[in-house]
Amino acid sequence: MGYKAKFRVWRGEGGEGKLEDFTVEVNEGEVVLDIIHRLQATQAPDLAVRWNCKAGKCGSCSMEINGKPRLGCMTRMSTFTEDETITVTPMRTFPVIKDLVTDVSFNYQKAREIPSFTPPASVKPGEYRMQQIDVERSQEFRKCIECFMCNNVCHVIRDHEENKTNFAGPRFLMRIAELDMHPYDVADRKDAAQEEHGLGYCNITKCCTEVCPEHIKITDNALIPMKERVVDRKYDPLVWLGSKIFKRSGSGSKG
Amino acid sequence: MTQTAADSPAPARRQRAQIKERTLRTDQWWRYPLVTFIIFTAFLVYATWAIFDNSFFAAPYHAPFASPCLAEAVCPEDARLFGWAPLGDWYTWPPGLLILGLPAGFRFTCYYYRKAYYRGFWLSPPACAVNEPHSKYTGESRFPLILQNIHRYFFYAAIVIGLILAYDAVKALIEKPGGIGTWVLIGNAILINLYTLSCHSCRHITAGRLNHFSKHPVRYRAWGFVSKLNAKHQELALISMFSVMGADLYVRLVAKGILTFTFA
């Protein structure tokens, strides 16, 4: 059965704007993105929202619903009470283009700063031989749909915009971990993770994991293991000594 | 007339949505930091009291906060680890002062506890998508928090402490198998050791640091086991915190003569 829901939607351009109130019809089985589309169709034809697949796989409709980063297409209206006012705002960490659409180019810039997969020069394409157990750990990270909600919620840049130059955010620290764990990647990523991409800024409060719509254990499986690899390289004298005595390459993490 | 770049209006500088509210969350986001603050503060208050309390031994029970007892002057003969007390008569302070830094350091630098107290005590952030009150943030990239990276050394020490607590429990089992205190100590030793093994550093050391699991099948299996425990690290951290506090209090109550029933 349908009902009339109270919505507050942030509207504006270039950062200036305000929350506008709407009363809008809601039908059974709908999600928040459906309601935003109904607002476009009936009351606010110029309301801007980015969306694409409506199946939680493209990562386009990231927004903040009642203050929490969520995908609009995966947030069911049935999770709210009928008398609840639902507040919808754009992601706070990124600049606003218009209404609910943000400029996420920060993320593309950070992606470009990470050197791509670097196989050994002696191994040619087609010669890679890996067992499933060697790669399945980092396959979890490949589920990422690049909704950038982890980077949006991370307080390191959400609350401290000045850190954006020094911090890649959980999405791209996870990418570094994925490459560092790859059996055929030979690039040295530990120093860069700490010194250039700001792994040390992460204080593992796990908000990235909490908001991930793909349920990737970003903190436990990517960021903390990467922190431990950095400790191997930079802060553990025993590992350093062992690498000298036993002449391991790259202090051990490529074993 | 052709419009030049200089004539066209400058594009508005894009900035974040200007929203005054600290958060628009409508759920009880403040519960987690508040409960964390209360529980951890209670634990710290109890631990401080326990360190300076001398009723730590009621044969065969040894309070975990004072184990191992290493000083001749303050440790009854039965309370010494394998009868060994390396510190002579000169040390007369509470025995807990000597060793409590190791398990405390392990918990303080633990990845779970860091999350909890950064949220509950330092409000950095208090909850996800709730603005923190600090104007600057460098996290664990600089002194003093960069010292959190020594966690694995506390992990090594925690293994030793866990084994000593297991020794205390087995000793109690041999001497007083029917005592409730024995089973309290056994339960605590199991939980402490599970918490220690579930540590993220342990997971890294077993095989997490490797890239070719297939070349190290034994270590891979160990990593798989530790990973399963690691998924419960938060729960084990909290349960073992309550168990060690409970076991410690139980022994002290027996030692003080407050619990006097037959099977105590």
Side-chain angles (χ1 to χ4, degrees), chain A residues 134-239:
Chain A
D134 292 333
V135 289
E136 67 189 357
R137 184 171 37 162
S138 50
Q139 280 177 339
E140 178 190 9
F141 312 142
R142 304 291 292 185
K143 292 194 299 180
C144 175
I145 59 172
E146 305 225 303
C147 61
F148 303 126
M149 287 200 293
C150 55
N151 277 5
N152 170 54
V153 80
C154 180
H155 71 114
V156 177
I157 46 179
R158 183 184 177 94
D159 295 345
H160 304 280
E161 201 164 6
E162 69 278 7
N163 287 337
K164 275 187 169 176
T165 48
N166 301 321
F167 185 65
R171 165 56 193 115
F172 298 105
L173 292 170
M174 180 173 77
R175 171 70 178 153
I176 294 170
E178 177 193 335
L179 290 166
D180 200 61
M181 290 173 185
H182 196 289
Y184 271 103
D185 187 82
V186 294
D188 180 11
R189 302 186 185 273
K190 296 171 193 68
D191 284 331
Q194 187 77 351
E195 305 300 337
E196 294 169 31
H197 301 291
L199 183 61
Y201 282 77
C202 169
N203 68 345
I204 47 163
T205 39
K206 292 198 176 183
C207 289
C208 49
T209 304
E210 278 187 27
V211 302
C212 179
E214 285 293 312
H215 308 294
I216 303 170
K217 304 283 186 207
I218 303 172
T219 320
D220 284 313
N221 292 346
L223 304 188
I224 293 175
M226 200 61 215
K227 272 179 175 266
E228 287 292 320
R229 285 169 177 241
V230 169
V231 174
D232 278 352
R233 168 62 54 83
K234 295 175 72 75
Y235 306 114
D236 189 334
L238 283 183
V239 173

Side-chain angles (χ1 to χ4, degrees), chain B residues 181-208:
Chain B
T182 297
W183 295 97
V184 168
L185 291 180
I186 288 172
N188 177 55
I190 290 170
L191 288 168
I192 291 283
N193 281 291
L194 284 176
Y195 164 60
T196 306
L197 285 177
S198 70
C199 162
H200 290 83
S201 288
C202 178
R203 190 182 182 212
H204 175 74
I205 291 160
T206 47

Side-chain angles (χ1 to χ4, degrees), chain A residues 10 14-16 66-69 84 87 89-90 92-97 103 131 133-134 136-137 153 155-164 180-183 200-207 210 220-221 224 227-229 231-232 235-239 248 251-255, chain B residues 12-27 110-112 114-116 118-119 124-125 127-132 134-142 146 149-153 156 200-201 203-205 207-216 220 223 230 234:
Chain A
W10 193 91
E16 301 297 328
N66 280 353
K68 284 185 178 176
E84 194 172 348
T87 307
T89 56
R92 278 211 200 190
T93 302
F94 309 120
V96 170
I97 297 173
D103 176 359
Q131 294 197 22
I133 59 170
D134 292 333
E136 67 189 357
R137 184 171 37 162
V153 80
H155 71 114
V156 177
I157 46 179
R158 183 184 177 94
D159 295 345
H160 304 280
E161 201 164 6
E162 69 278 7
N163 287 337
K164 275 187 169 176
D180 200 61
M181 290 173 185
H182 196 289
Y201 282 77
C202 169
N203 68 345
I204 47 163
T205 39
K206 292 198 176 183
C207 289
E210 278 187 27
D220 284 313
N221 292 346
I224 293 175
K227 272 179 175 266
E228 287 292 320
R229 285 169 177 241
V231 174
D232 278 352
Y235 306 114
D236 189 334
L238 283 183
V239 173
R248 290 182 196 160
S251 19
S253 281
K254 294 287 178 186
Chain B
R13 184 177 168 272
R14 283 179 187 157
Q15 55 178 339
R16 300 166 169 210
Q18 302 300 300
I19 298 170
K20 286 182 192 146
E21 286 85 351
R22 186 181 178 200
T23 183
L24 291 168
R25 282 181 65 164
T26 52
D27 58 336
C110 162
Y111 287 99
Y112 158 67
R114 274 145 79 176
K115 169 201 164 184
Y118 284 141
R119 285 194 187 194
S124 179
C128 303
V130 178
N131 284 4
E132 61 177 60
H134 312 289
S135 59
K136 286 193 79 175
Y137 174 87
T138 53
E140 298 178 349
S141 63
R142 292 187 190 169
I146 201 167
N149 288 310
I150 61 173
H151 180 54
R152 65 179 58 172
Y153 284 94
Y156 300 139
H200 290 83
S201 288
R203 190 182 182 212
H204 175 74
I205 291 160
R209 65 201 301 274
L210 303 174
N211 283 0
H212 287 94
F213 284 154
S214 56
K215 291 182 185 171
H216 305 271
Y220 174 65
W223 179 82
N230 181 257
Q234 170 174 320

